[in-house]
Amino acid sequence: MGGSDDPPEGTPEGAPGGGDDEYRSVVFDESFIRAARLQEYSAEERVTDHAPAVRRRPRRRRGLPHQALILVMLVAVAFGTAIYMGVRHPYQGPAAQRLGEPARLNVVPLAPRHPVPGADDPDRLYAHSPAARFRTGADGITLPGGRRTAHFSDDQVLSALAIAKDYIVRSSLEPDVLTGGPVRTVRVLLDPDQHDQFDRGFSHPAADGRNTPTGWLVRFDPGHARLADDQTRVQGHLTLTESDSSTLEVTADHTLVYALRPADDPHGKVSLFTVRRELLFRFDRDDLRLHHTRLVTSSVRAGPLSCAENPANHLRPLLAGQTPKDGAPADTDPYTPDGVTHLCGTLADRAQPTGG
């Protein structure tokens, strides 16, 4: 009999002796079999389905190479880190730092040398004052032609100018605001970043350049003076510049003249009160879209006022016939751009009505 490696019938005739020796080095292990592209059907499958003897096995899908997978993960981590640092990094650019600054508010009272002129009729006082040719109310706040800038469209420029005008109207012409009423109509125009400063000023007013309500808006002490009419005279201008690729700035320079009577005497003499407001507004694209603005600086000169009065919270004008007990050494005319006199100034005689 043949050995355990020989067929039961022995080695066929004509076959070379030891025929298995030439294939002995080939090992058909499990991985080799799984990788075969062709697979033989079983006898039962061939009889039942009349299938061919072999079938093609589907190609096995291979995942990304290990090195490619690591590279993709590294790119994703780097991209996420860049986004995070761009949002959270404390070292922001100059424009972002400027937008976060608190508003600087400066209010200077102007004291007259002589008794305040008065009359029964506001129109008579206006006619004999430098405000004789001023326009009335919001008509005095004219918009320049809106021209696109390097990085902002015509519509964005016009929007910035319109928001600035809206702020001036609400903060210096609305009767409710002028007489010490609610100030929400002004507050809603400010960027939310400035709401805390605005609210803090009205809850704890101070002449410190930060918490000064009369820097945000014009309002009279309702227990001291009242409006003689609502025909406030206004003159001034708006100018717009692009400070950088993401920011517009609007400068407003207006003189407003109010006719006032004593709060406790509806038939008392009328006197004029003049306020010169120079405001700087700043806008980014979100402000333009949401109809907000940031008040950067507010420089106000107002009179006739007594230098002894603190104008931070309310304005308490000197009314017809009144004279201040104190003054300042130099004339300041709110009708001309002389620059701001700090602490207190003297209201120039030429700024008052004559022949009333």
Side-chain angles (χ1 to χ4, degrees):
M1 296 181 61
S4 59
D5 293 332
D6 296 331
E9 299 81 4
T11 303
E13 293 183 3
D20 289 343
D21 290 342
E22 61 179 303
Y23 299 106
R24 195 173 300 279
S25 61
V26 179
V27 179
F28 297 98
D29 60 9
E30 187 68 21
S31 63
F32 181 86
I33 295 172
R34 285 200 304 267
R37 296 291 305 280
L38 299 177
Q39 181 182 29
E40 183 179 8
Y41 283 94
S42 67
E44 182 180 355
E45 288 174 326
R46 290 198 300 271
V47 170
T48 302
D49 297 331
H50 305 286
V54 296
R55 60 184 171 189
R56 184 176 295 275
R57 300 183 68 180
R59 183 184 297 273
R60 295 181 63 196
R61 293 186 177 181
R62 296 182 179 180
L64 288 173
H66 186 63
Q67 294 87 345
L69 184 60
I70 293 176
L71 179 61
V72 170
M73 292 179 64
L74 288 175
V75 170
V77 170
F79 185 69
T81 302
I83 293 176
Y84 178 83
M85 294 298 288
V87 173
R88 303 290 296 178
H89 201 284
Y91 300 103
Q92 298 173 328
Q97 292 175 350
R98 289 200 307 271
L99 293 177
E101 294 177 356
R104 301 187 299 276
L105 313 170
N106 184 32
V107 180
V108 177
L110 304 179
R113 287 195 181 96
H114 309 292
V116 176
D120 295 325
D121 182 9
D123 290 336
R124 182 177 179 183
L125 286 176
Y126 282 130
H128 292 85
S129 78
R133 296 185 179 180
F134 285 13
R135 294 184 179 183
T136 301
D139 290 341
I141 306 171
T142 57
L143 301 183
R147 301 282 184 175
R148 69 172 62 244
T149 65
H151 300 94
F152 290 86
S153 67
D154 291 340
D155 288 343
Q156 289 173 318
V157 168
L158 288 174
S159 179
L161 293 169
I163 297 170
K165 176 175 180 176
D166 197 10
Y167 186 94
I168 296 167
V169 170
R170 296 191 192 188
S171 65
S172 58
L173 293 176
E174 286 192 359
D176 286 346
V177 172
L178 292 173
T179 54
V183 297
R184 183 180 180 279
T185 56
V186 179
R187 184 181 187 271
V188 296
L189 285 178
L190 292 170
D191 188 283
D193 289 348
Q194 292 194 309
H195 287 176
D196 285 346
Q197 183 186 0
F198 184 89
D199 295 340
R200 187 168 57 251
F202 284 87
S203 61
H204 298 89
D208 59 1
R210 290 289 185 269
N211 303 291
T212 307
T214 49
W216 296 103
L217 49 84
V218 178
R219 68 172 182 171
F220 302 106
D221 184 344
H224 179 74
R226 57 186 295 174
L227 295 172
D229 66 15
D230 58 358
Q231 301 299 305
T232 302
R233 303 302 200 267
V234 184
Q235 179 171 282
H237 62 273
L238 297 168
T239 56
L240 180 141
T241 59
E242 180 183 302
S243 59
D244 58 46
S245 61
S246 62
T247 310
L248 290 176
E249 291 186 346
V250 174
T251 301
D253 186 352
H254 292 87
T255 300
L256 305 103
V257 186
Y258 305 87
L260 303 175
R261 279 194 173 100
D264 57 357
D265 186 359
H267 303 291
K269 293 284 188 179
V270 178
S271 60
L272 297 185
F273 186 82
T274 304
V275 177
R276 177 72 175 268
R277 299 181 85 197
E278 297 172 72
L279 309 175
L280 175 60
F281 301 100
R282 189 169 286 153
F283 304 85
D284 60 22
R285 287 179 172 80
D286 285 340
D287 291 327
L288 297 175
R289 179 174 54 86
L290 298 172
H291 202 76
H292 289 159
T293 186
R294 297 171 187 265
L295 183 62
V296 181
T297 59
S298 171
S299 178
V300 177
R301 287 166 283 171
L305 285 170
S306 171
C307 292
E309 294 285 351
N310 181 357
N313 192 24
H314 291 93
L315 300 174
R316 291 176 55 86
L318 293 168
L319 301 174
Q322 295 181 341
T323 304
K325 297 180 180 179
D326 46 27
D331 288 353
T332 303
D333 185 353
Y335 290 90
T336 58
D338 296 328
V340 175
T341 303
H342 296 283
L343 299 179
C344 190
T346 298
L347 184 64
D349 292 338
R350 62 183 178 275
Q352 295 277 49
T354 59

